[in-house]
Amino acid sequence: FCQTDICGPVVDLLIDEVEETGRTDIDAIHAEVYVDPSVFETGAFPDLTPLVAALDLPFEPVLFVLDGGGTVVARLDTTFDRGELRDALALV
């Protein structure tokens, strides 16, 4: 449902990087931003999913990297490249 030209490619980049690490202890979880993005077609703004609303995220994409204990060790917002993503994943 990504509504920006960077959201989808960033998800693909994350999947590629996690696979390239060869690690099986990294889980990539994607959270949709909108409950029903088809509402955009009517000119209305769709409801945010509960997780996105709870985090008060007014933009996409955002990547949180958490360690095994659930502590956020890195956050990447909006536009980031493969190197920045690789560095963030190396923290876990």
Side-chain angles (χ1 to χ4, degrees), residues 14-87:
L14 174 61
I15 292 167
D16 289 346
E17 282 301 311
V18 169
E19 287 176 356
E20 285 186 27
T21 67
R23 293 176 51 188
T24 59
D25 62 334
I26 296 177
D27 294 318
I29 302 168
H30 176 259
E32 283 297 340
V33 176
Y34 305 111
V35 173
D36 180 8
S38 68
V39 173
F40 275 120
E41 297 169 11
T42 68
F45 194 82
D47 292 330
L48 298 175
T49 58
L51 177 59
V52 172
L55 294 172
D56 193 27
L57 296 172
F59 57 87
E60 60 177 323
V62 176
L63 175 72
F64 294 98
V65 179
L66 287 71
D67 66 14
T71 301
V72 176
V73 296
R75 176 178 169 169
L76 302 174
D77 293 338
T78 313
T79 305
F80 47 90
D81 64 21
R82 186 175 297 272
E84 292 169 301
L85 178 56
R86 191 173 291 139
D87 291 346

